[in-house]
Amino acid sequence: QVQLVESGGGLVQPGGSLTLSCAASGSWFSLNAMAWYRQAPGKERELVASITRGGTANYVDSVKGRFTISRVNAKNTIYLQMNSLKPEDTAVYYCNRELSAAATRSGYTYWGQGTQVTVSS
């Protein structure tokens, strides 16, 4: 059974840093590209960053140069190092397999509880 547990969120001032972690259960982890998503109040969930099985990363333009995604397959864990945080980064952050846009929006897709990131002075 798939289980995703995100952690590491919190309140940080603009310009600050946070590192998020996502622990996944199951042997499927190392077989899949993984990703971080976020959902701000009143907005749809969006893809932030993804990483292939081999470690190739991609980012949405708004976080390029500030966020770094990484993974440790032996630990079934992915990370999101977030630097130079901005108020617009405020959202609940989730991890999952890299999903299609439709699956990201679907009410049938499993998500963990997420971790809240709030960037405010």
Side-chain angles (χ1 to χ4, degrees):
Q1 184 174 349
V2 174
Q3 186 174 16
L4 299 164
V5 180
E6 300 92 347
S7 61
L11 173 63
V12 63
Q13 292 186 341
S17 298
L18 282 174
T19 299
L20 308 183
S21 300
C22 167
S25 64
S27 58
W28 58 272
F29 177 88
S30 62
L31 301 177
N32 283 270
M34 296 294 295
W36 283 97
Y37 302 81
R38 66 186 179 187
Q39 186 167 22
K43 295 187 177 181
E44 289 190 338
R45 198 178 334 242
E46 65 170 350
L47 175 67
V48 174
S50 63
I51 186 166
T52 66
R53 293 184 297 168
T56 299
N58 287 285
Y59 304 91
V60 67
D61 285 347
S62 61
V63 307
K64 280 181 180 177
R66 300 189 299 121
F67 290 10
T68 302
I69 187 172
S70 60
R71 66 189 294 165
V72 179
N73 289 336
K75 294 185 177 180
N76 279 13
T77 301
I78 63 170
Y79 304 93
L80 187 68
Q81 172 68 44
M82 306 185 295
N83 298 324
S84 302
L85 282 161
K86 304 176 180 180
E88 52 263 44
D89 295 318
T90 296
V92 179
Y93 284 71
Y94 303 86
C95 66
N96 212 323
R97 295 179 294 113
E98 187 175 16
L99 301 167
S100 67
T104 301
R105 293 191 299 267
S106 173
Y108 295 99
T109 298
Y110 166 79
W111 297 93
Q113 85 288 349
T115 186
Q116 175 71 50
V117 172
T118 302
V119 184
S120 176
S121 55

